[in-house]
Amino acid sequence: LCDYVNDQVAAPVCETCAQVLGAVLLPMVPSSVLQILSFALELYKNESWNVRHSGLLAVKYLLAVRSHDLVDKILPQAFPVLLIALEDLDDDIRAVAAESLLPVSHSIHTYIQHSQIVDLLNKLWDCLDEASDLSASTRWIMSLLAELYENPVVADSKTDSDLVSLVSRLWCFLRHPIYSVPLSALK
């Protein structure tokens, strides 16, 4: 069921199904989209990492294809689960959780409370502390942090002293073998 591509789990069948689901979601009425979101979020409660991973893949594509018109309804429901998923013991789950938030990173402050954004930033930084050079989640966590800090509203949620200590953690990622990781560290 799983392969590895560029140090990241690739579940080709699950990923393809999630992509097809994303395509099917485009013409759907909002109530049906929200019902599918509910089912996908329910999958995260399963003990099996494969099922949790599949549910988050569905959320990832749902956010990607319907964030233009339903983000105000999708994000408040999905965000708490994605926040919990960033603490999952499985690195691939953390990777999909971070990747899922990328399409909405520029508007997240509009739909999520400031305290939750601070919690998100803290969890992302904590994930980096635990990440190794080969962690699948490093690329997506770094990309999400870079996108979030490009937003002045989000960037203001950390004090200058906090940022100085956080930026010092980025040095080790400048030599990371996956190209997007040092690029995100520089952003």
Side-chain angles (χ1 to χ4, degrees):
L1 284 175
C2 296
D3 296 322
Y4 291 90
V5 178
N6 294 332
D7 299 326
Q8 178 180 336
V9 69
V13 173
C14 296
E15 186 86 26
T16 302
C17 289
Q19 289 171 354
V20 169
L21 178 63
V24 170
L25 289 169
L26 279 170
M28 267 190 192
V29 296
S31 60
S32 296
V33 172
L34 295 176
Q35 186 72 38
I36 289 173
L37 172 65
S38 175
F39 293 142
L41 294 174
E42 191 68 29
L43 290 175
Y44 189 74
K45 295 177 183 176
N46 195 289
E47 290 183 24
S48 169
W49 82 267
N50 305 54
V51 176
R52 293 194 318 273
H53 188 260
S54 296
L56 291 181
L57 285 173
V59 171
K60 176 178 92 168
Y61 285 100
L62 198 146
L63 276 168
V65 300
R66 292 306 293 260
S67 63
H68 66 284
D69 64 337
L70 292 177
V71 68
D72 60 325
K73 292 180 177 47
I74 296 170
L75 196 55
Q77 289 183 46
F79 187 80
V81 173
L82 294 171
L83 206 56
I84 292 167
L86 287 171
E87 295 178 312
D88 199 284
L89 295 176
D90 191 283
D91 189 55
D92 298 310
I93 300 285
R94 292 190 303 266
V96 175
E99 187 181 6
S100 297
L101 288 169
L102 280 170
V104 295
S105 61
H106 291 294
S107 62
I108 198 168
H109 67 282
T110 308
Y111 307 102
I112 301 300
Q113 296 176 3
H114 180 74
S115 61
Q116 290 178 302
I117 292 173
V118 171
D119 195 22
L120 170 64
L121 293 171
N122 290 334
K123 287 183 191 305
L124 291 170
W125 284 108
D126 290 346
C127 286
L128 282 183
D129 284 343
E130 299 168 9
S132 73
D133 280 355
L134 298 177
S135 295
S137 63
T138 302
R139 170 185 178 191
W140 301 113
I141 290 168
M142 290 294 295
S143 296
L144 182 56
L145 277 169
E147 293 289 326
L148 289 170
Y149 278 110
E150 284 181 8
N151 184 327
V153 175
V154 174
D156 288 343
S157 64
K158 289 288 187 186
T159 65
D160 288 341
S161 61
D162 288 339
L163 286 176
V164 169
S165 68
L166 294 174
V167 168
S168 65
R169 297 186 200 177
L170 297 177
W171 292 115
C172 64
F173 294 106
L174 292 175
R175 296 183 312 267
H176 198 277
I178 299 174
Y179 174 74
S180 62
V181 172
L183 185 64
S184 294
L186 289 172
K187 281 186 176 180

